[in-house]
Amino acid sequence: MIADMNAKDIVGDYQEVSLQLYGSVKRKILYTQIETPYPDGKLIVSTTNPEGIITHVNRSFVEMSGYREEELIGAPHSILRHPDMPPAAFKDLWDTVQRGEKWQGFVKNLRKDGGYYWVKATVIPNVRAGKVVGYTSVRRKPSRSKIEECCKLYPTLF
Amino acid sequence: MSFQFTVSPDFTPDHLSGWYIFNTWLQKQTGIAIHLEMYNDFQGQRDAIQADTVDLIYANPFDAAMLVREKGFLPLVKAEGAADEALIVVNADSAINDVADLKPGTRVAYTEDPDVRLMGMIMLEPGDLNNNNIVPVLADNYVLVAKHLLKVEADVGIFLAGAYDDLSAMVKNQLKVLVRSQISVIHHALMIGPRLQERREDIQNLLVEMSNDDKGRGVLQSLGFTVWQKVDNEEMEFMIDLMDTLNT
Ligand SMILES: Cc1cc2nc3c(=O)[nH]c(=O)nc-3n(C[C@H](O)[C@H](O)[C@H](O)COP(=O)(O)O)c2cc1C
């Protein structure tokens, strides 16, 4: 399950909002305006089962999200869901990968400390012996100009 | 019947004799007649794979998807600690200190190595550079990539990390590294084709055990390796999925 965010984990001034996640789950979100820059040369990788529950993360994922690996494995991937991300983006993600296709997009992710980081994400279905056994997302560093475009576009998609 | 073994063209020049020594060792250990065929470039090697003439290959990660998913190859082993990483490098006098400062029209020098080129182009994306807005400067090897940078015939070079590290100190002093990838899960692998697959386990065990005797260790050394590590199907599938996400 997915726990509310905890004020003692937050670094800096924060706002509070309640987010409606998939399956009528509600989560209390505490978020700040502090950005963590994407580390040069690294890929942030995670894999989920077909239901979107995290089954594998690499070290960069742990470092950037601010969670410990044990907190991530078994959690829904919406643990990174930032309130500034329009729900339509994730509907498109799920519709695309469930058709068996690759999804690519720019995502603002929420850290455990309330801060955020932008990524360029590519999600693909993991097909083994003809069956989808999960999904893998690989994130890379986005360009500043793409982030600026998203900062203009995403608020219009709510 | 004789089987064919081939090596990714980016790996042959430095250890050419080593691969012949390895092939002799392999034939002796397995009792299988194996002919080592070297191709000058990736296209020649891919044509041979398409024509189903290849049975064993030390493969570039870029070709792994095609080998596994179209041609029924399976992984055997990888060299311990031999992950492929890429570097973005400029002339030491260049005003550029961050990939984000690069502009369309940048002259990018690289070799034909498909996985290094892919990783390198991804590291140029934060500068909004892509295949459509760079000026490509194709070089035969990494020493020539360095030369293009020194002579200011290219603005940026994409290197295999190992090849860059092997450049002389004098050359490296005139260059500046902007980014070094830390991906660690992309690697070359020795792979086995359908005609030899009933011997897969057997060959895999021989290779993994190879470093346990003097003779085997010497052969590995001539390849520049210390130990072969087993690669299972899922590790290979995962690498292929990862390459697939990058190749977009
Ligand atoms: C492989 C994979 C990776 C994902 N990565 C993220 C991510 O980094 N950040 C995020 O907010 N959602 C990510 N999602 C989408 C979430 O599963 C979820 O749909 C989203 O956070 C919105 O939450 P909701 O579906 O509960 O409304 C990912 C999904 C998959 C399958």
Side-chain angles (χ1 to χ4, degrees):
Chain A
M1 258 321 38
I2 192 160
D4 283 340
M5 292 179 76
N6 196 327
K8 74 169 173 36
D9 295 327
I10 307 301
V11 177
D13 294 337
Y14 62 87
Q15 286 167 276
E16 183 173 332
V17 64
S18 177
L19 264 191
Q20 182 73 54
L21 299 176
Y22 185 75
S24 56
V25 176
K26 267 202 159 75
R27 186 185 194 207
K28 186 170 82 175
I29 301 284
L30 310 177
Y31 66 108
T32 73
Q33 301 300 326
I34 301 171
E35 177 168 12
T36 301
Y38 193 104
D40 276 319
K42 294 193 184 182
L43 298 176
I44 300 174
V45 183
S46 63
T47 298
T48 71
N49 68 11
E51 288 74 45
I53 304 295
I54 299 172
T55 54
H56 161 85
V57 291
N58 73 351
R59 187 203 298 242
S60 299
F61 190 107
V62 172
E63 286 168 3
M64 283 301 277
S65 70
Y67 289 96
R68 283 177 288 115
E69 184 168 350
E70 310 87 84
E71 295 175 293
L72 293 165
I73 304 295
H77 219 306
S78 50
I79 190 167
L80 300 188
R81 169 76 200 281
H82 195 283
D84 292 349
M85 280 301 294
F90 298 115
K91 181 175 186 317
D92 183 47
L93 182 162
W94 278 103
D95 288 350
T96 305
V97 296
Q98 282 175 345
R99 280 198 307 271
E101 295 166 19
K102 236 183 258 191
W103 182 87
Q104 198 162 59
F106 295 87
V107 180
K108 184 176 188 175
N109 274 328
L110 179 65
R111 289 165 52 91
K112 184 180 182 179
D113 67 6
Y116 68 89
Y117 57 101
W118 278 98
V119 301
K120 177 178 176 181
T122 309
V123 186
I124 57 160
N126 305 124
V127 182
R128 304 287 183 267
K131 265 186 62 183
V132 174
V133 297
Y135 301 100
T136 292
S137 177
V138 178
R139 295 95 177 165
R140 37 180 134 152
K141 184 172 178 165
S143 73
R144 225 48 241 176
S145 64
K146 294 286 191 229
I147 295 175
E148 278 155 26
E149 275 173 35
C150 292
C151 289
K152 287 202 193 92
L153 175 67
Y154 287 176
T156 69
L157 299 179
F158 280 85
Chain B
M1 170 169 191
S2 168
F3 297 90
Q4 195 195 100
F5 174 31
T6 183
V7 176
S8 179
D10 56 340
F11 247 88
T12 39
D14 295 342
H15 298 287
L16 193 58
S17 60
W19 287 108
Y20 282 97
I21 295 167
F22 175 71
N23 190 46
T24 305
W25 178 90
L26 194 61
Q27 294 187 80
K28 214 165 172 184
Q29 297 289 320
T30 58
I32 305 172
I34 305 167
H35 165 72
L36 178 59
E37 180 77 34
M38 296 297 194
Y39 296 93
N40 286 329
D41 54 36
F42 282 95
Q43 200 44 54
Q45 187 170 78
R46 282 182 196 138
D47 291 344
I49 296 164
Q50 285 308 329
D52 296 323
T53 56
V54 175
D55 299 294
L56 270 175
I57 180 170
Y58 191 64
N60 186 287
F62 195 89
D63 289 331
M66 180 259 290
L67 287 162
V68 171
R69 295 189 178 164
E70 291 168 35
K71 291 294 172 185
F73 276 70
L74 292 173
L76 291 169
V77 290
K78 63 176 175 187
E80 184 185 59
D84 294 4
E85 302 287 356
L87 250 55
I88 300 297
V89 178
V90 296
N91 189 301
D93 296 332
S94 168
I96 303 287
N97 289 305
D98 185 337
V99 165
D101 301 333
L102 294 167
K103 295 277 176 304
T106 294
R107 296 166 302 170
V108 182
Y110 49 77
T111 71
E112 269 206 320
D113 296 6
D115 66 327
V116 175
R117 172 154 179 239
L118 182 63
M119 292 188 276
M121 287 308 296
I122 280 172
M123 292 196 286
L124 292 178
E125 280 184 6
D128 283 319
L129 296 186
N130 58 57
N131 286 326
N132 301 320
N133 66 10
I134 61 158
V135 178
V137 180
L138 191 61
D140 275 341
N141 56 56
Y142 291 108
V143 172
L144 294 176
V145 172
K147 264 201 183 132
H148 284 306
L149 293 176
L150 296 182
K151 292 191 183 162
V152 200
E153 294 161 351
D155 307 301
V156 167
I158 299 174
F159 287 85
L160 175 69
Y164 180 83
D165 295 338
D166 285 345
L167 294 173
S168 73
M170 196 185 74
V171 171
K172 278 187 285 193
N173 282 341
Q174 302 173 66
L175 298 171
K176 178 164 67 177
V177 176
L178 294 186
V179 193
R180 180 183 280 262
S181 76
Q182 293 171 263
I183 299 175
S184 74
V185 287
I186 294 177
H187 55 77
H188 281 63
L190 191 59
M191 302 177 74
I192 190 164
R195 277 189 297 264
L196 271 178
Q197 258 161 40
E198 54 190 53
R199 299 292 303 273
R200 181 189 183 202
E201 239 191 85
D202 174 22
I203 297 175
Q204 207 167 32
N205 290 334
L206 278 169
L207 293 167
V208 170
E209 294 295 325
M210 195 171 168
S211 54
N212 291 339
D213 69 80
D214 288 344
K215 180 98 214 280
R217 257 198 309 277
V219 175
L220 277 166
Q221 226 166 43
S222 62
L223 293 172
F225 301 152
T226 48
V227 178
W228 288 118
Q229 283 177 325
K230 184 174 167 173
V231 178
D232 64 27
N233 294 355
E234 180 51 31
E235 179 181 347
M236 181 53 66
E237 290 287 346
F238 184 75
M239 188 182 84
I240 291 171
D241 280 348
L242 197 116
M243 291 298 289
D244 193 13
T245 67
L246 299 183
N247 207 356
T248 316

